[in-house]
Amino acid sequence: MRLVLVGPPGAGKGTQAQFIASHLSIPKISTGDIFRANVSGGTPLGKLAKEYMDRGDLVPDEVTVAMVRDRLSEDDAQEGFLLDGFPRNVPQAEVLKKMLDEFGTALDLVLELVVDDDEVVRRLAGRRTCRSCGKVWHELFDPPTQPGVCDACGGELFQRDDDREETIRHRLEVYQEQTAPLVAFYADEGILVGVDATGPVEEVTQRAMAVLRRFAD
């Protein structure tokens, strides 16, 4: 099965991608993983991407697409894959469709993790990170025994800038600008299915797997 997983920051894409890929015995392919593998491996594409990153510039779409093409050409992706973080916009979706056409295949399904903005803010703005060991706690879902102090090492807990409410809401605005057209694109293709991403992780996974089972049947 060839899947794409989309959803806003804080929807739990990384966690669900891992569970779903494991259930289906297909590789989870994220742009972050691809970038790290190419950069650490010193591939020509990795060296090119590092030049942009070292200058503080965004890596151009064509470099990202070339990395995705290489990854989808590997043996373990021939029977299926789950893409997390790509495509991010309609132009990338069109490139992916053309790429898969060249491979003689196509996407089977696009799963959209659906969660409202206030829930995303509640999830992300409650995170607190330890300055010493880096462990992440949550004021509501996984609080430390003593507020502001890490249970693991006794270090001070702080709120990262990207976990502040105003930053989160800006990220959600950017997501909507880029991804609302992407969701519409896949809806028009007839392969988009929404999954309610509220509630415990296990329940969200069960909902996603129920969708996949219906589709497979």
Side-chain angles (χ1 to χ4, degrees), residues 1 16 39 66 71 86 88 93-94 111 118-119 138 141 163 165 180-181 185 200 215:
M1 187 171 281
Q16 293 303 327
V39 172
R71 182 64 184 88
F86 183 91
R88 289 187 180 277
E94 291 171 337
L111 285 180
D118 289 341
E119 174 64 16
H138 196 284
F141 308 129
D163 287 337
E165 180 171 349
F185 174 87
F215 182 82

Side-chain angles (χ1 to χ4, degrees), residues 6-82:
V6 299
K13 290 193 302 301
T15 301
Q16 293 303 327
Q18 195 69 50
F19 279 126
I20 294 168
S22 177
H23 275 296
L24 297 176
S25 299
I26 56 176
K28 177 185 80 71
I29 300 173
S30 75
T31 47
D33 292 342
I34 293 172
F35 269 76
R36 282 188 289 274
N38 277 272
V39 172
S40 64
T43 68
L45 286 171
K47 291 175 181 176
L48 183 57
K50 191 172 186 300
E51 289 178 11
Y52 286 98
M53 291 187 287
D54 287 348
R55 293 198 300 265
D57 295 333
L58 291 174
V59 178
D61 266 8
E62 57 264 28
V63 177
T64 304
V65 167
M67 288 185 181
V68 171
R69 177 185 289 275
D70 283 354
R71 182 64 184 88
L72 294 183
S73 299
E74 293 181 19
D75 289 344
D76 67 336
Q78 299 313 298
E79 298 303 317
F81 53 79
L82 187 153

Side-chain angles (χ1 to χ4, degrees), residues 31 49 60 64 68 109 114 142 158 160 188 193 205:
T31 47
T64 304
V68 171
L109 198 63
V114 181
D142 187 21
F158 74 104
R160 298 187 326 182
D188 288 344
V193 178
T205 305

Side-chain angles (χ1 to χ4, degrees), residues 147-203:
V149 179
C150 178
D151 282 6
C153 73
E156 177 193 0
L157 301 183
F158 74 104
Q159 185 181 43
R160 298 187 326 182
D161 287 343
D162 57 355
D163 287 337
R164 298 186 186 281
E165 180 171 349
E166 59 271 23
T167 305
I168 295 165
R169 291 201 180 274
H170 175 68
R171 289 169 62 197
L172 287 168
E173 289 173 5
V174 172
Y175 173 80
Q176 287 300 330
E177 289 172 5
Q178 293 184 345
T179 311
L182 179 68
V183 168
F185 174 87
Y186 282 126
D188 288 344
E189 294 276 301
I191 57 173
L192 178 80
V193 178
V195 175
D196 179 5
T198 57
V201 169
E202 296 80 6
E203 289 184 9

